[in-house]
Amino acid sequence: MLSVAAVQMTSTADFNANLREAERLMHAAKQGGAELILLPENFASYGGDYRQLAEQQGPALQAWLQHWAKTLEITLIGGTIPLAQRADGTLVNRGRVRSACLMYSSGGVLLGRYDKLHLFDVSVDDAQGRYCESDSFEPGDRLLVRTAGPVKVGLAVCYDLRFALLAGALAQAGANLLVYPSAFTEVTGAAHWHLLLRARAVETGCYVLAANQCGQHTAKRQSYGHSILIDPWGSIVAELNAAPGVLVAEIDLNHQKNIRNKLPLHQHQRLTVELPNDIRFDE
């Protein structure tokens, strides 16, 4: 058993207010017994100049995540923060950043970094209309699976949820928990959020934990909420509504083993995911 938590926020461009809210909700998750906490995408700032934020607050945000992982004695998966440097230290060009998901141990050790692979360049029937993340972000090129207590965690971010091959690659690498820090829009979330999350759980035999943004961020941007934990059968273990809050629920590894034994998809799968030359697993 492992107690996990998803933090759901309505982040804005107010950096300090966002961090105070994240701290409040993480404390609530810890009090609820959480051993692993997942923050949402762009928890520290939603909108604004991400390159400026990365240059001014990138190191401080990393220190903040490390501090709270150690202080609360939990595994902390830090949603996403903008970083101006790639994992190898080189600078992201053209004024863009990487959307980085950092995972820290309960001792404050950085376990790994996953940079969002798929960028949200789409049209949505909402007040925003057109979303083009590639204007501000550079896609990542490394996949990540890391151990947290009794589970192996595969990291992905928001729009990555729509790409089953990524989930398959993470499961193929040993993940039994997939996490999706997200800022799924109200329109796309209402249409596809539950459908996609349940599909990823069933097809991989993994638990799926998703921490979503919620509510009205700006006059044009609204997120769906409904942060959720889904078991490998596709059943909803716990779910929030559309308001800020924290979900705390249990992952039952015996339940997962039983489902995988009865429905051994990993044994029946006749195809494997072959990564392109420019993408590989982070060792």
Side-chain angles (χ1 to χ4, degrees):
M1 302 287 282
L2 180 73
S3 182
V4 299
V7 169
Q8 183 164 291
M9 301 172 59
T10 307
S11 297
T12 66
D14 190 332
F15 177 79
N16 291 322
N18 294 333
L19 292 193
R20 288 194 299 271
E21 176 71 351
E23 290 166 9
R24 181 184 73 84
L25 292 170
M26 286 194 295
H27 275 290
K30 176 64 176 181
Q31 290 171 359
E35 300 164 89
L36 180 151
I37 296 177
L38 176 66
L39 293 171
E41 184 180 25
N42 294 332
F43 73 91
S45 183
Y46 194 100
D49 188 330
Y50 288 112
R51 181 60 179 238
Q52 183 180 63
L53 179 67
E55 292 174 345
Q56 294 179 353
Q57 301 292 351
L61 275 171
Q62 292 174 77
W64 182 90
L65 290 167
Q66 180 183 49
H67 167 78
W68 286 110
K70 190 173 183 179
T71 298
L72 295 176
E73 297 181 313
I74 47 92
T75 299
L76 179 57
I77 302 175
T80 65
I81 62 173
L83 293 179
Q85 290 80 28
R86 304 179 182 96
D88 63 6
T90 59
L91 195 67
V92 180
N93 59 16
R94 292 169 47 198
R96 298 189 297 174
V97 297
R98 290 284 186 96
S99 183
C101 181
L102 306 180
M103 180 174 175
Y104 287 88
S105 74
S106 58
V109 176
L110 178 63
L111 298 175
R113 166 182 168 173
Y114 168 73
D115 295 345
K116 187 176 183 179
L117 191 66
H118 299 96
L119 299 181
F120 192 58
D121 290 358
V122 305
S123 295
V124 177
D125 291 331
D126 63 7
Q128 176 74 20
R130 180 66 183 166
Y131 294 77
C132 193
E133 284 190 334
S134 61
D135 286 346
S136 301
F137 298 98
E138 177 184 83
D141 55 7
R142 299 289 185 270
L143 307 188
L144 191 72
V145 173
R146 286 292 184 268
T147 299
V151 301
K152 288 189 176 181
V153 186
L155 277 68
V157 174
C158 198
Y159 190 49
D160 286 333
L161 174 59
R162 293 185 179 273
F163 299 90
L165 289 180
L166 173 55
L170 296 172
Q172 189 174 295
N176 56 358
L177 169 64
L178 304 179
V179 298
Y180 291 94
S182 299
F184 240 73
T185 73
E186 174 67 24
V187 171
T188 58
H192 300 144
W193 179 251
H194 294 87
L195 171 69
L196 290 168
L197 288 165
R198 294 181 71 190
R200 297 297 85 87
V202 171
E203 68 198 9
T204 62
C206 291
Y207 273 91
V208 174
L209 179 67
N212 200 21
Q213 290 277 355
C214 67
Q216 200 78 39
H217 307 284
T218 68
K220 292 185 176 181
R221 295 195 176 189
Q222 184 179 7
S223 294
Y224 181 63
H226 293 270
S227 296
I228 199 166
L229 177 66
I230 298 172
D231 77 5
W233 191 248
S235 300
I236 296 172
V237 179
E239 180 181 1
L240 296 179
N241 55 24
V246 60
L247 172 158
V248 180
E250 297 284 341
I251 287 178
D252 185 342
L253 295 178
N254 287 328
H255 177 58
Q256 181 175 50
K257 182 179 179 181
N258 184 49
I259 291 172
R260 286 184 164 186
N261 285 340
K262 290 182 176 179
L263 190 65
L265 300 178
H266 58 290
Q267 295 177 20
H268 298 158
Q269 176 62 264
R270 299 181 65 187
L271 305 177
T272 58
V273 179
E274 297 291 339
L275 299 180
N277 292 332
D278 60 337
I279 297 175
R280 63 176 177 83
F281 272 92
D282 185 20
E283 302 297 332

